[in-house]
Every structure is written in C-alpha cells, then in structure tokens.
Amino acid sequence: MNILIKPIITEKATKAAEDKNVFGFVVNPKANKVEIKKAVEAAYGVSVEKVRTMNVRPDRKTRFTKTGVQTGKTNAYKKAIVQVAEGDTIDFYSNI
C-alpha cells in the first residue's frame, strides 16, 4: 500500500512550512497516523513530532446550460498535516 500520494504545494502550505515547520501531504484514505509518520520518516529522513489527518469532502457544482442542468463533483481525499522536529526540513524541489 503506497501511503504518501503527493505533497501539497500551495501558498498556504509553503508559508506554514517556512514559519511553523509543518508540511502537508495527500495520503491513502486507509492509512492511519502511525503509518503516515513512518512513511514520511522513511521517505524524507526527518523525525516527525505530530500528525494530523482530515478527510476532505468532494465539492459539488451545478451548471445551467443550453443542454440542461450539468452536475458534477471533485474527488474526496485524505490530507495529512505533518509537523517535523525543530531543525529538520523537507525540500520538495530537490528531486527535480
């Protein structure tokens, strides 16, 4: 089971990483906090202090067009917010 799917790289996540040493990841919906902690420590070589998880609900959207009402939604996913130890950092751009 692949636990870490991709890192979250947004303006808000980048600011939190710089200021608070907190990083965000999209993770497997069946993964728990212990598995996420082990996966981050193994992948990036840092020590994790705290893991917070949340299930993100899908966004639903309705559009009125000439052909009728179009409805759709985005996918639901699980997000993990990981706080690493003081002095450790994760560089997402080094593997380019």
Side-chain angles (χ1 to χ4, degrees):
M1 177 169 77
N2 192 7
I3 300 200
L4 298 177
I5 296 173
K6 65 180 180 179
I8 297 173
I9 302 174
T10 59
E11 289 183 22
K12 186 176 182 179
T14 306
K15 181 129 176 83
E18 292 171 356
D19 295 344
K20 303 175 189 168
N21 227 15
V22 172
F23 300 91
F25 294 93
V26 176
V27 296
N28 190 323
K30 294 183 179 181
N32 60 29
K33 292 182 180 185
V34 176
E35 293 171 340
I36 294 168
K37 178 180 178 180
K38 289 179 183 176
V40 171
E41 288 176 345
Y44 296 102
V46 296
S47 59
V48 175
E49 290 182 348
K50 188 191 298 187
V51 177
R52 293 175 291 167
T53 61
M54 62 190 83
N55 289 312
V56 180
R57 63 177 171 76
D59 291 331
R60 299 183 187 278
K61 187 180 284 189
T62 303
R63 239 181 274 148
F64 298 98
T65 62
K66 286 192 279 187
T67 59
V69 177
Q70 301 290 321
T71 60
K73 69 178 184 71
T74 60
N75 292 331
Y77 60 95
K78 188 170 189 175
K79 182 164 50 171
I81 307 299
V82 177
Q83 183 171 358
V84 299
E86 193 68 34
D88 287 346
T89 186
I90 298 173
D91 187 16
F92 295 128
Y93 301 108
S94 65
N95 296 335
I96 294 175

